[in-house]
C-alpha cells in the first residue's frame, strides 16, 4: 500500500493552473459526493475506506466516509457554524485527525472508531489562527501547521493524545512534509520553503525556494522532493525539485501559461501527480513518471473546479477533491498483471517479524519497496535470489506493506514488525 500526502492551498484564493498536450494512459472520473460543500482534504486508510473533508465561511463543514472505494459516501460529521475542515490523516485504521478552524480559532477533530464519530480535541491550542495541514511520520509522531498562529505549528509524539507548540514565528504556512524523522519542510504562503534538521525544534529558510507562494510539497524518497506553487506578479506556476534531501532546490524547466498548482502527491518514487485548475477554471491534473523531471496533462471530466488535494492509497487508484463537492477518482488503464510472486508461490515471513524478513520465490530482478502504516518509504532494494533476506532491526514496531514490482506488474503484501 502506498500512501501519499497533500495539504490544501489557502482558502478563498482562486488558483490557476495550466494545460498540456501530452495525455497519459490513465483515466479520472467524477464521483457523486452528495454535497456542494468545498472540499479541501482527502485520505484513504486502504483501497476501500477513505474520507474527504471540507467547508468554509460559506459552505457547510463536512466529513464524508466511503467503504467501497468512493462508489458511495456517508456523511459522518457536519456543522453549520463558521467552520472550515482542511486536512485529514490517520495513524491506523481506528485513529484519525481532522484540522481546520472554527471562527478565528484553530480546531482539531479526533476519531477513535475508524471515522464513524468525531469529537473535539480537548487539549490546549493556539488562541487564534487556522490549521491547514496535518501529517504523521508514524503512529506516534505527527505535525500540524497553518496560518496566523504565531508559531510554526504543533507536534505530537504520543499519537495525537497531546500536542505542543513548535517555535514562534511570524509567517503563514500551507503544507508540511518530512523526508525523514528529523528532516522536515514547510511551504510558506509568503514564499519559500522552511526546513528543519532536528524534528521541528528549529527552522530556517532553504536556499533557492523563494520564488512565490508554495502550496504543496511531497518527498517520495528521503532524497527526492517536489514542491509546487505559483509566482505572485505575474501569476505563473512553478515546480521545484530537490535530489539531496532539501539541501538545494532547482526549478523544473517547463513552458507553462499563467496559473498555479495547489497540491502534489506520489503513488511511488517515480510516479507523481499535481492538481489545480486552468485559467478558464477547468480542473487540471498533471503527472510525472520520472520522479518529477517531466510533467504531462491527464484526461479529466469537463468540469469547472479548482482541485485542492490529491491522495493515492494504491499505485493504480487515486482521489482528488475540489470546490463544489467535486471528487475525482483515478483508475489506471495499463492492464497491470500479477508478478510471478502471488499468493500460491511467493511468501513473506515470518509474520510477525522481528529482525529479518524473508521474501521467498519472488522474481529475480524485481524491486521491493516497504512502506510504513502512514505510507512513508522505509526500504527499497532489488530481489537477487529465490530467498531474499531483509534486515528490519531498525524498523519501528507496527504494520508495513511490501510492494514487489517489475515490468509485468506489482504485488503488495502486509506484514507486522514486533521487537
Amino acid at each position: 500500500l502506498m500512501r501519499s500526502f497533500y495539504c490544501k492551498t489557502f482558502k478563498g484564493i482562486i488558483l490557476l493552473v495550466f494545460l498540456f498536450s501530452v495525455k497519459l494512459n490513465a483515466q479520472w472520473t467524477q464521483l457523486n459526493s452528495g454535497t456542494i460543500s468545498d472540499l479541501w482534504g482527502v485520505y484513504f486508510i486502504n483501497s476501500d475506506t477513505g474520507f474527504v473533508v471540507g467547508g468554509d465561511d460559506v459552505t457547510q463543514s463536512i466529513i464524508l466516509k466511503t467503504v467501497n472505494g468512493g462508489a458511495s459516501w456517508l456523511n459522518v460529521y457536519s456543522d453549520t457554524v463558521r467552520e472550515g475542515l482542511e486536512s485529514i490523516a490517520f495513524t491506523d485504521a481506528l485513529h484519525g485527525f481532522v484540522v481546520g478552524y472554527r471562527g478565528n480559532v484553530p480546531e482539531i477533530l479526533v476519531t477513535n472508531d475508524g471515522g464513524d464519530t468525531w469529537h473535539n480535541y480537548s487539549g490546549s491550542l493556539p488562541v487564534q489562527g487556522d490549521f491547514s495541514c496535518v501529517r504523521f511520520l508514524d503512529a506516534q509522531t505527527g505535525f500540524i501547521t497553518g496560518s496566523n498562529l504565531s508559531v510554526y505549528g504543533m507536534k505530537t509524539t504520543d499519537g495525537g493524545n497531546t500536542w505542543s507548540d513548535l517555535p514562534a514565528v511570524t509567517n503563514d504556512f500551507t503544507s508540511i512534509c518530512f523526508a525523514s524523522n528529523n528532516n522536515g519542510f514547510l511551504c510558506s504562503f509568503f514564499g519559500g520553503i522552511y526546513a528543519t534538521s532536528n524534528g521541528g525544534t528549529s527552522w530556517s529558510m532553504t536556499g533557492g525556494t523563494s520564488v512565490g507562494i508554495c502550496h504543496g510539497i511531497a518527498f517520495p524518497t528521503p532524497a527526492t522532493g517536489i514542491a509546487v506553487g505559483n509566482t505572485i506578479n505575474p501569476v505563473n506556476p512553478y515546480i521545484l525539485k530537490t535530489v539531496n534531501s532539501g539541501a538545494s532546490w532547482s526549478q523544473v524547466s517547463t513552458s507553462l501559461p499563467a496559473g498555479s498548482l495547489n497540491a502534489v502527491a506520489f503513488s511511488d518514487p517515480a510516479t507523481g501527480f499535481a492538481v489545480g485548475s486552468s485559467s478558464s477554471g477547468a480542473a487540471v491534473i498533471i503527472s510525472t513518471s520520472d520522479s518529477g523531471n517531466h510533467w504531462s496533462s491527464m484526461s479529466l471530466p469537463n468540469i469547472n473546479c479548482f482541485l485542492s488535494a490529491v491522495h493515492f492509497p494504491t499505485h493504480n487508484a487515486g482521489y482528488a477533491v475540489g470546490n463544489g463537492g467535486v471528487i475525482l477518482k483515478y483508475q489506471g488503464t495499463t492492464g497491470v498483471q500479477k508478478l510471478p510472486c502471488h499468493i500460491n508461490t511467493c511468501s513473506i515471513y515470518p509474520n510477525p517479524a522481528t529482525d529479518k524478513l524473508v521474501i521467498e520465490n519472488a522474481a529475480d530482478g524485481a524491486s521491493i519497496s516497504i512502506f510504513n502504516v502512514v505510507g512513508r518509504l522505509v526500504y527499497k532494494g532489488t530481489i537477487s535470489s529465490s530467498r531474499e533476506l531483509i534486515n528490519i532491526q531498525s524498523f519501528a514496531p507496527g504494520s508495513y506493506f511490501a510492494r514487489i514490482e517489475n515490468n509485468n506488474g506489482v504485488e503488495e503484501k502486509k506484514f507486522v514488525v514486533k521487537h
Side-chain angles (χ1 to χ4, degrees):
L1 176 68
M2 178 64 186
R3 293 174 181 152
S4 46
F5 299 91
Y6 54 86
C7 282
K8 82 166 191 73
T9 184
F10 271 46
K11 58 187 177 296
I13 297 175
I14 303 301
L15 297 174
L16 308 176
V17 167
F18 37 84
L19 298 172
F20 293 84
S21 59
V22 180
K23 303 297 182 184
L24 298 184
N25 187 26
Q27 195 168 38
W28 291 84
T29 57
Q30 186 172 1
L31 304 179
N32 182 10
S33 68
T35 182
I36 60 172
S37 290
D38 293 342
L39 300 177
W40 300 111
V42 54
Y43 190 98
F44 271 67
I45 299 171
N46 53 47
S47 59
D48 295 319
T49 304
F51 301 82
V52 297
V53 302
D56 52 31
D57 295 350
V58 178
T59 61
Q60 183 183 45
S61 61
I62 197 168
I63 303 175
L64 301 179
K65 178 179 180 179
T66 181
V67 294
N68 52 18
S72 61
W73 296 86
L74 176 67
N75 188 337
V76 293
Y77 176 92
S78 62
D79 199 329
T80 57
V81 176
R82 182 172 176 263
E83 178 184 38
L85 305 180
E86 306 188 0
S87 180
I88 179 170
F90 275 72
T91 59
D92 56 37
L94 295 178
H95 300 91
F97 301 84
V98 170
V99 301
Y101 66 91
R102 179 180 289 267
N104 295 318
V105 179
E107 180 178 37
I108 303 176
L109 298 178
V110 181
T111 182
N112 299 313
D113 59 8
D116 290 333
T117 61
W118 297 83
H119 62 273
N120 285 93
Y121 170 70
S122 59
S124 177
L125 296 177
V127 296
Q128 67 176 23
D130 174 358
F131 284 151
S132 61
C133 184
V134 56
R135 289 182 177 174
F136 276 81
L137 307 187
D138 52 44
Q140 298 300 312
T141 307
F143 292 85
I144 298 171
T145 194
S147 62
N148 197 29
L149 299 173
S150 299
V151 292
Y152 283 95
M154 303 193 78
K155 179 179 181 179
T156 181
T157 57
D158 58 7
N161 291 320
T162 60
W163 296 83
S164 58
D165 286 345
L166 294 177
V169 68
T170 301
N171 207 324
D172 290 338
F173 300 101
T174 58
S175 183
I176 189 167
C177 177
F178 273 73
S180 63
N181 288 340
N182 289 320
N183 296 325
F185 302 88
L186 282 163
C187 279
S188 170
F189 184 76
F190 294 108
I193 299 172
Y194 287 70
T196 180
S197 59
N198 50 25
T201 301
S202 61
W203 299 81
S204 60
M205 174 81 82
T206 57
T209 65
S210 186
V211 295
I213 301 172
C214 179
H215 293 298
I217 187 168
F219 271 77
T221 73
T224 304
I226 295 291
V228 299
N230 66 273
T231 59
I232 298 174
N233 188 19
V235 178
N236 288 318
Y238 70 77
I239 302 172
L240 296 175
K241 180 176 181 178
T242 179
V243 293
N244 53 14
S245 301
S248 62
W249 297 77
S250 59
Q251 283 193 252
V252 176
S253 179
T254 57
S255 55
L256 306 173
S260 173
L261 288 171
N262 303 349
V264 60
F266 278 75
S267 62
D268 62 41
T271 309
F273 302 81
V275 303
S277 66
S278 71
S279 58
S280 64
V284 172
I285 300 179
I286 61 172
S287 178
T288 178
S289 58
D290 60 3
S291 301
N293 292 322
H294 303 89
W295 297 80
S296 302
S297 68
M298 306 191 76
S299 178
L300 299 180
N302 184 20
I303 54 174
N304 288 323
C305 157
F306 68 89
L307 299 174
S308 52
V310 58
H311 177 55
F312 272 73
T314 69
H315 180 72
N316 282 317
Y319 299 83
V321 299
N323 66 324
V326 169
I327 304 175
L328 300 179
K329 182 175 182 178
Y330 168 92
Q331 294 279 94
T333 58
T334 54
V336 173
Q337 302 174 358
K338 290 293 185 181
L339 289 172
C341 171
H342 56 74
I343 188 120
N344 294 321
T345 62
C346 174
S347 57
I348 295 180
Y349 66 89
N351 192 7
T354 55
D355 57 347
K356 292 283 194 303
L357 185 69
V358 180
I359 314 295
E360 197 164 83
N361 294 328
D364 289 354
S367 67
I368 179 168
S369 303
I370 298 177
F371 306 91
N372 66 13
V373 70
V374 294
R376 182 170 296 279
L377 180 70
V378 296
Y379 175 87
K380 186 172 180 63
T382 302
I383 294 175
S384 58
S385 68
S386 61
R387 191 174 184 272
E388 192 80 12
L389 297 179
I390 299 175
N391 189 332
I392 59 169
Q393 288 180 330
S394 63
F395 288 19
S399 296
Y400 292 83
F401 300 87
R403 174 185 289 164
I404 303 168
E405 188 171 8
N406 68 10
N407 291 333
N408 295 323
V410 59
E411 177 90 1
E412 294 180 347
K413 289 182 177 290
K414 182 179 179 179
F415 66 96
V416 175
V417 172
K418 290 184 178 180
H419 297 307

